[in-house]
Structures are given as structure tokens and as C-alpha cells.
């Protein structure tokens, strides 16, 4: 407890990620004060809990920002990792953990809580995947530090929007007959995300003399094959036929997973590599400090059922893609002076809309995912497949919510960089590109009060390849971007009139490519500043 009698203060790193974004409201509900450390605090502003938690700018690799963030903190949660940041991600993880532990000691933090990975018993650390090896090393650094630490080690986390759940879900739903890698026979111990959060919150009140690792898992020990068959049963699917073969290495199987599921190969690989060895809890000592209660931890089937219900009810609060994808650009759209010496290509479209601002904004905010992009489906699909082929995220990430967006949301191969309800939606591209790209959509009125839609695509090329890329795709802009502006306006008019009645009807009108075209103002410019 703090000396001034206030409620304990928890610092949460990784609050824009899958677990961190769910932990914050749980801590608030448990009566803690929460401070979030984020490299881009703006990403957190639209979360439902944003007004109840403090947000500070910083990075776990920056000792100065950590020192400022840890002032007055009682419990510090470490929920970040450098996976995918490059060949040296293990070095980055190691140095970040040491810096975090040192600053926690200097600030007088009472406890560090870290969520790591469950490692196989009896397997030498050098034989583990780089992902698991790094997680184990980070946990060891915290346990060797002066500040008492609780290192929670989990295997497969089952919850709506988790990468493990999405991988399991799409593999099972899309492939009634599967030729699979041999790791489908490897046993693991999945755990519901609700239990992970419960243990994380409970770790904040552990006695000061508790300084150790805890294995956390659900009551079921299953092979991945049994998990897929279990998913099919819970989801009401026909029994799946699974034929394992020994020739699919983790690298090959990660590409297979990336082809079938929304999880890109860059993330699928550490997930599949973690399944090479059996990972089963060797103890359940956490229950001595955080009692389980009746029916806890949740059985695998119940965890699946709850996750599926959240997906079907569109109540997914965070997703695996909530955090930025490794290797994806994260630079925000700069102001014009920052383009000095560079180039900025633009494609602008503007047209009147025979609908209210509210109807137009509803269409704009609902773009992407199952609603489509109101343009040539073939062109968008081809771009998505090309991105997957070169290791990008493609179009399959979809949307977290079918109707509403918030800053930081992933949206197919875009991410929401800015949103001003009723006025502006700005998306930053996360597909593989030789440069940086944004797509802006504006809704507004003209001098006569008539509704207008404006759209702007921007591209900042990187090197000669970037310039060549822009000019190679420029001939297709009339179809892709022109069609988008035209069909968004048409869909808004349909929304206004209630025509079609269903979402499917509105989408089909928005995507229509064979209707009579109307002339529209357009200009494409190259701006060197």
C-alpha cells in the first residue's frame, strides 16, 4: 500500500495490446489506480476506460521515461516484448527487462508482475524457440532483480480476439479436412483469458516475500488435434478429419497458418514453434494466493463457448492485432514542413452526397472487414493476397467491431491513426510497401449546407522503388479510389432512404461496379516540398 493512504497505483505497459488492454479495466474495477505507459498515448484515448486511467508517454527501453512513469508506483506490469522487431529481438528484450527492473528498484516499486510463456520441462533452453527462450530469460531477469516479482507462465490463451484462438478458429472452420504438421499431437494446457486476467490482478496483492514463477493453466491437458476437434464440437461443426505429416516444419507450417487464418506468418511462426514441445503446468501454487473458486479455472470447452459468444455478439474489446504488427510502419502523417526534401504523392476525390452527414459518416466508419471497401472487390482481394505473399498481414484481420472504430484499431491492412466522429477517418497502411501510405476520408458540408464527401490517398515513397510503385499503380486509381468515393456516396444515399433494409443490401449497393458512372472532380498531384 502507498504511504499516503491512497489506493495502490499500478503501472501497465503494453496497454494497447491484447492482454494489457483488458487488464486495465480489471484493475480499475478491483479498486486500483492505473497508469499506462505507451509510446503513442493517443492510441489509448478511445478505450472505454481511458477517462479513468492516467496515460504517460514512454518506452521500456528508455530509462528516463521509465523513471518518470514509475514515480509513486506500487505494482509494475510488464506485458511487452520485442518479438518481430528484427534479428536482435532477444537482445532488445533482455536490455528492456534489465532497464525496467533497475528503474523499478530506483523508484521503490513494491512488485513486478510479468506474463511470460510456459516452457517445456526437461528441455534445455538452447533447444527452445527464440520466442520461448526470450520469454524465459526475461522472467529470469525479473526474478534475479531486487524487486519481488511474480512471473506468470501461460501456454495457449483462449479468448475472443487472441492470436491462439483466432488461429484455432480459422483452421478448424475453414478446413474440414486438414493435412497438418506433426505438432498437432503435442500436448498443451490452454487457459481462458478470464483466468489469466484474474491471476494478473491477484498478483498485485501478493505478500512481499513472494518472489517466484507460477505456472498457470486451465484444467484440461489437450493436444492441438483435440483442441481443433473440441472447437468443432462447441461451434456445431461437422467432425474434422486431421492427417498429420512429419514434413511440415515450423517455418513451413507458419506459412500454412498465415495462408488460412488472419494471423500473419510473422506471428504464426512463434506460435507454432511453441508447440514443438509439450507444455504442461508442473504446479498450481498460484491458487494458494489467488483462490480459484467454483468452476475456476474454466474448462477448455467453456472458454471456447464464451469466446465464440463474444465474437458473435461483436463484443471483442481487444484483439491480437490491437498492438502494431511487427515490421509495419508506425510513423504518423507528418505536417507539410516535415516533407522537406522528399516527395508526397496524392490522389484526391470529392463529390456531393444525397444524404445527411449522419448517414454518410455511418458508411465511412463502417468501412472494411465484412463490409468491404466500396470498390473493386477483385482489386482489393488481389492487393491483400499480394501482401500475404510477401509476409504482410493481408486483408483478413477484419474489424474489431462491425460498426464503430477507435484510434489504434486494426482494419484489414490499415490501422486507424485518427478519427474525429462525424468528420474525419485517417488510416495508416500496414501492408508491405516501399514507402508510407495513408487514406483519409472526410465528411462535411459546402456553403449551401449540402453534404459532401472528400477522400485523399497519400504516399511517401522510399527510394526509387517507391516512386516506381506509385506510378505502376496510378492507372488503377480511377477504378479503386474513384469507385470507392462514388460507391460510398451511393451507399450513404441508400442508408438515408433505408433501401435494401439489410446490411447485405447496403454493402452490395456500395460495391456495385457496373452502374452508370457520374463525373467527379479529381486531381492527382506530386508535391515536392
Amino acid at each position: 500500500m502507498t504511504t499516503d493512504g491512497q489506493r495502490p497505483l499500478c503501472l501497465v505497459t503494453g496497454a494497447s495490446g491484447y492482454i494489457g488492454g483488458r487488464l486495465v479495466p480489471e484493475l480499475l474495477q478491483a479498486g486500483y489506480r492505473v497508469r499506462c505507459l505507451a509510446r503513442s498515448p493517443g492510441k489509448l484515448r478511445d478505450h472505454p476506460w481511458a477517462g479513468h486511467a492516467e496515460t504517460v508517454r514512454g518506452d521500456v527501453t528508455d530509462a528516463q521515461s521509465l523513471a518518470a512513469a514509475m514515480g509513486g508506483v506500487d505494482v509494475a506490469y510488464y506485458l511487452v516484448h520485442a518479438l518481430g522487431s528484427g534479428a536482435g529481438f532477444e537482445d532488445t528484450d533482455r536490455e528492456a527487462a534489465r532497464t525496467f527492473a533497475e528503474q523499478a528498484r530506483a523508484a521503490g516499486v513494491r512488485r513486478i508482475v510479468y506474463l511470460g510463456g510456459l516452457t517445456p520441462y526437461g528441455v534445455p533452453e538452447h533447444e527452445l524457440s527464440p520466442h520461448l527462450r526470450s520469454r524465459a530469460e526475461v522472467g529470469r531477469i525479473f526474478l534475479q532483480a531486487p524487486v519481488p516479482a511474480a512471473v506468470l507462465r501461460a501456454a495457449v490463451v483462449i479468448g475472443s480476439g487472441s492470436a491462439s484462438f483466432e488461429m484455432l478458429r480459422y483452421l478448424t472452420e475453414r478446413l474440414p479436412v486438414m493435412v497438418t504438421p506433426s505438432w498437432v499431437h503435442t500436448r498443451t494446457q490452454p487457459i481462458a483469458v478470464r483466468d489469466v486476467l484474474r491471476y494478473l490482478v491477484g498478483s498485485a496483492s501478493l505478500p512481499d516475500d513472494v518472489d517466484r514463477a507460477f505456472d498457470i493453466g486451465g484444467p484440461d491437458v489437450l493436444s492441438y488435434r483435440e483442441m481443433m476437434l473440441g472447437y468443432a464440437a462447441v461451434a456445431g461443426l461437422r467432425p474434422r478429419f486431421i492427417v498429420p505429416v512429419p514434413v511440415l516444419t515450423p517455418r513451413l507450417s507458419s506459412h500454412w497458418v498465415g495462408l488460412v487464418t488472419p494471423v500473419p506468418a510473422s506471428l504464426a511462426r512463434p506460435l507454432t514453434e511453441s508447440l514443438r514441445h509439450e507444455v504442461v503446468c508442473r504446479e498450481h501454487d498460484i491458487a494458494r494466493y489467488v483462490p480459484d473458486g467454483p468452476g475456476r479455472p474454466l474448462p477448455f470447452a467453456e472458454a471456447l463457448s464464451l469466446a465464440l459468444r463474444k465474437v458473435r455478439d461483436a463484443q471483442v474489446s481487444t484483439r491480437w492485432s490491437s498492438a502494431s504488427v511487427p515490421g509495419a510502419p508506425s510513423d504518423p502523417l507528418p505536417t507539410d514542413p516535415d516533407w522537406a526534401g522528399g516527395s508526397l504523392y496524392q490522389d484526391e476525390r470529392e463529390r456531393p452526397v444525397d444524404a445527411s452527414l449522419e448517414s454518410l459518416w455511418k458508411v465511412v466508419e463502417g468501412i472494411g472487414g465484412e463490409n468491404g471497401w466500396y470498390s473493386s472487390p477483385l482489386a482489393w482481394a488481389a492487393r491483400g493476397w499480394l501482401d500475404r505473399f510477401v509476409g504482410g498481414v493481408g486483408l483478413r484481420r477484419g474489424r474489431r467491431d462491425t460498426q464503430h472504430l477507435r484510434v489504434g484499431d486494426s482494419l484489414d491492412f490499415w490501422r486507424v491513426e485518427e478519427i474525429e466522429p462525424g468528420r474525419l477517418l485517417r488510416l495508416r497502411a500496414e501492408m508491405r510497401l516501399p514507402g508510407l501510405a495513408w487514406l483519409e476520408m472526410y465528411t462535411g458540408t459546402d456553403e449551401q449546407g449540402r453534404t459532401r464527401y472528400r477522400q485523399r490517398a497519400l504516399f511517401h515513397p522510399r527510394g526509387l522503388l517507391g516512386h516506381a510503385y506509385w506510378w505502376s499503380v496510378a492507372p488503377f486509381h480511377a477504378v479503386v479510389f474513384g469507385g470507392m468515393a462514388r460507391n460510398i456516396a451511393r451507399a450513404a444515399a441508400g442508408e438515408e432512404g433505408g433501401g435494401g433494409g439489410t446490411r447485405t443490401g447496403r454493402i452490395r449497393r456500395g460495391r456495385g461496379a457496373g452502374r452508370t458512372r457520374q463525373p467527379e472532380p479529381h486531381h492527382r498531384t506530386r508535391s515536392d516540398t
Side-chain angles (χ1 to χ4, degrees):
M1 298 291 288
T2 53
T3 56
D4 59 4
Q6 291 181 316
R7 293 174 297 148
L9 175 61
C10 296
L11 176 69
V12 177
T13 63
S16 63
Y18 177 71
I19 293 292
R22 297 189 180 207
L23 176 62
V24 172
E26 296 292 328
L27 288 170
L28 291 170
Q29 188 174 4
Y32 294 97
R33 294 180 296 139
V34 177
R35 177 183 296 158
C36 300
L37 179 75
R39 284 177 295 182
S40 303
K43 288 184 179 180
L44 304 178
R45 75 174 197 208
D46 293 335
H47 284 259
W49 44 259
H52 305 283
E54 179 187 358
T55 302
V56 296
R57 186 183 302 275
D59 192 285
V60 292
T61 61
D62 180 7
Q64 186 174 357
S65 66
L66 275 178
M70 286 187 175
V73 166
D74 296 274
V75 181
Y77 284 88
Y78 192 85
L79 303 174
V80 297
H81 58 85
L83 178 67
S85 60
F89 83 89
E90 291 181 83
D91 294 332
T92 303
D93 270 341
R94 183 183 307 114
E95 291 307 312
R98 287 173 177 168
T99 302
F100 194 84
E102 290 169 0
Q103 294 306 315
R105 177 195 58 78
V109 171
R110 183 177 61 80
R111 171 168 301 284
I112 292 173
V113 181
Y114 169 59
L115 178 62
L118 190 60
T119 53
Y121 179 70
V123 178
E125 196 166 290
H126 70 271
E127 293 184 12
L128 298 178
S129 69
H131 165 64
L132 274 183
R133 187 169 60 237
S134 182
R135 289 293 185 93
E137 183 181 17
V138 168
R140 190 166 56 250
I141 289 171
F142 288 141
L143 292 174
Q144 293 171 350
V147 178
V151 175
L152 307 187
R153 303 186 297 202
V156 175
V157 176
I158 300 297
S160 60
S162 77
S164 297
F165 172 74
E166 292 288 281
M167 190 170 102
L168 176 67
R169 173 188 169 204
Y170 278 86
L171 285 175
T172 309
E173 289 186 352
R174 294 187 172 182
L175 299 175
V177 179
M178 286 176 269
V179 177
T180 61
S182 57
W183 49 251
V184 296
H185 287 311
T186 304
R187 296 198 315 158
T188 188
Q189 194 162 349
I191 182 171
V193 68
R194 295 188 181 198
D195 289 311
V196 174
L197 295 171
R198 183 168 57 86
Y199 292 138
L200 284 170
V201 173
S203 296
S205 58
L206 291 175
D208 291 346
D209 61 348
V210 176
D211 185 17
R212 56 163 293 182
F214 294 96
D215 292 351
I216 59 173
D220 303 300
V221 176
L222 305 164
S223 69
Y224 204 84
R225 178 181 184 276
E226 291 171 324
M227 289 170 60
M228 287 191 285
L229 294 176
Y231 180 94
V234 171
L237 305 174
R238 292 180 179 178
R240 270 31 193 166
F241 296 94
I242 301 170
V243 183
V245 294
V247 296
L248 283 175
T249 65
R251 182 181 180 86
L252 288 174
S253 58
S254 68
H255 288 291
W256 168 66
V257 171
L259 185 68
V260 177
T261 80
V263 181
S266 59
L267 182 56
R269 184 170 183 181
L271 292 176
T272 55
E273 284 180 333
S274 300
L275 294 168
R276 287 187 302 171
H277 304 288
E278 179 176 288
V279 281
V280 176
C281 297
R282 298 187 294 278
E283 45 82 11
H284 190 54
D285 296 346
I286 188 70
R288 288 160 45 190
Y289 305 98
V290 187
D292 286 326
R296 290 299 187 96
L298 292 174
F300 175 70
E302 188 173 348
L304 281 180
S305 181
L306 289 170
L308 279 170
R309 188 185 310 163
K310 288 287 187 181
V311 170
R312 289 166 179 168
D313 293 345
Q315 294 180 345
V316 181
S317 57
T318 63
R319 301 177 68 217
W320 63 270
S321 57
S322 298
S324 296
V325 174
S330 58
D331 298 348
L333 180 64
T335 54
D336 287 342
D338 294 330
W339 294 107
S343 300
L344 178 64
Y345 293 112
Q346 301 184 55
D347 181 285
E348 294 189 69
R349 313 271 166 170
E350 184 173 354
R351 60 182 302 112
V353 181
D354 187 20
S356 66
L357 270 175
E358 291 76 13
S359 295
L360 177 58
W361 178 253
K362 185 176 181 180
V363 173
V364 168
E365 191 177 10
I367 201 166
E370 294 182 358
N371 297 342
W373 289 89
Y374 298 95
S375 186
S376 168
L378 180 60
W380 282 92
R383 187 61 185 88
W385 279 107
L386 176 61
D387 193 54
R388 300 285 285 196
F389 180 76
V390 296
V393 295
L395 284 173
R396 294 212 200 108
R397 289 191 303 183
R399 298 172 54 107
R400 177 190 57 83
D401 185 294
T402 57
Q403 297 179 347
H404 304 292
L405 294 172
R406 65 190 184 202
V407 170
D409 270 358
S410 61
L411 182 59
D412 291 327
F413 47 41
W414 305 89
R415 188 170 298 276
V416 180
E417 181 174 287
E418 183 59 80
I419 183 168
E420 298 177 18
R423 179 182 174 272
L424 165 68
L425 175 62
R426 178 186 299 136
L427 307 176
R428 184 185 69 246
E430 289 191 333
M431 72 278 279
R432 298 296 178 92
L433 289 169
L436 303 174
W438 296 266
L439 177 62
E440 293 181 327
M441 288 167 273
Y442 295 88
T443 62
T445 56
D446 58 19
E447 295 80 358
Q448 287 75 42
R450 295 171 298 190
T451 303
R452 295 194 70 84
Y453 171 71
R454 184 163 68 91
Q455 176 182 292
R456 187 168 71 137
L458 303 102
F459 182 67
H460 177 48
R462 184 185 301 117
L464 183 61
L465 183 61
H467 291 277
Y469 171 82
W470 173 265
W471 290 113
S472 68
V473 299
F476 303 101
H477 286 175
V479 174
V480 176
F481 294 129
M484 179 186 295
R486 182 173 58 255
N487 292 327
I488 283 177
R490 182 179 295 140
E495 181 77 37
E496 185 86 353
T502 65
R503 178 174 296 276
T504 301
R506 290 197 298 270
I507 292 171
R508 286 175 178 169
R509 283 197 303 277
R511 287 180 174 177
R515 301 178 185 269
T516 303
R517 297 187 176 182
Q518 301 174 5
E520 60 186 83
H522 160 247
H523 62 88
R524 180 172 58 242
T525 63
R526 173 182 173 183
S527 173
D528 295 301
T529 56

